[in-house]
Amino acid sequence: MKIVTVVGARPQFIKAASVSRALAGVAKEVMVHTGQHYDEKMSDVFFAELEIPEPAYHLHVGSASHGAQTGRMMEGIEEVLLAENPDWVLVYGDTNSTLAASIAAVKLHIPIAHVEAGLRSGRMDMPEEVNRILTDRVSRLLFCPSQVAVDHLAADGIVDGVHIVGDVMTDAVHHIMAAIDGHETAVEYPDGYFAATLHRAENTTREALPKVLAVLASVPGPVVLPLHPRTKNALAEQGLVLPDNVDVIEPLGYSAMIALVQGAEAVLTDSGGLQKEAVILGTRVVTLRSETEWVETVEIGANDVVGTDADRMCQALKRGPIDMESVARIFPVGASQKIAEIVSSV
Ligand code: UD1
């Protein structure tokens, strides 16, 4: 059994690390890195820290418009698939790397296994939503984190090959927690700090970014912000400065990010992955978007979706601790193992 895994963006390295560990011994995995994320701090640190095998192929595609970036990836992935002739192509999430691999594979009649299938925001103006819908449509195996995701697929008429396995991010967080257990974290943050991340296209526009900064300025305490390059570029282009209570730091590796989130009063973010990581770690989340794909985290009272409304953000920060029994129920461990078992047995 040979599997070609295609990754390209930061959260995919984290998820693939968990599943790769489970696949070792049951399948030969060939790792392809598209190069969608290429800064050392957005890519290499994750491979080193999470002990992901060096990619067998690195396409060095880099940043470009959606069409150009996706097209270049498709061309490179197609060559790899023709050379490797795998039994499966394994893809993660909803990035342009996910879509490029899916289109290249389906045209070569190679079956696709999609991890994090069935997520929906209901917003076709988000590039990620387009990538998810198209990838789900052409996938043979669809690994869903929850019943909500299964229901979304059913609504689109997709019922064959659908499996609820839980969320691979849970395995990733538990693995790194065990690895850093007892180790002092090198960095000290200000007392009572909040952690924030921002990178979504819809939050970095000229209209949205000043509003998001106003929300950060209203946080009742210091805010530590590891800055994504997209947001850094947008601030410079728009001539905006961050509020005084915001401490900017470089993008963090995985264990440092987990330590930052665990020690924070709460997390403010527009990232899908970080919403889950925070809740798994017992840290309250405020989502700076108008919707979330992770509705279960809202239902258990751990996540408030506030858009750019500073008053709602402040109200959300006053809520009490998260119920960890509910967290364990919505984020069971073991998704990576189940995925490895299912892919290697069909
Ligand atoms: C991508 C995914 C998003 C995911 C996110 C995780 C798509 C459409 N979006 O968003 O779903 O949540 O990754 O971080 O695939 N840049 C650099 N260095 C890098 C990477 C990016 O400077 O290593 C800058 C470039 O200016 C680039 C911009 O960031 O144009 C956006 O990068 P891109 O990969 O297009 O999307 P992300 O915002 O990272």
Side-chain angles (χ1 to χ4, degrees), residues 8-12 35-43 62-64 66 69 73 94-98 126-128 131-132 199-201 228-231 233 270-273:
R10 192 163 52 168
Q12 294 171 326
Q36 177 169 351
H37 285 175
Y38 47 87
D39 284 354
E40 207 254 329
K41 292 200 165 77
M42 300 285 287
S43 172
S63 302
H66 284 272
Q69 186 184 53
M73 289 177 189
D94 54 18
T95 72
N96 289 346
S97 299
T98 316
M126 279 178 72
E128 291 83 3
N131 294 344
R132 289 175 194 133
H199 76 282
R200 290 278 169 195
H228 186 288
R230 173 201 285 281
T231 315
N233 295 342
D270 59 8
S271 153

Side-chain angles (χ1 to χ4, degrees), residues 26 30 60 123 164 201:
V26 296
V30 177
H60 296 289
R123 285 187 52 173
I164 294 195

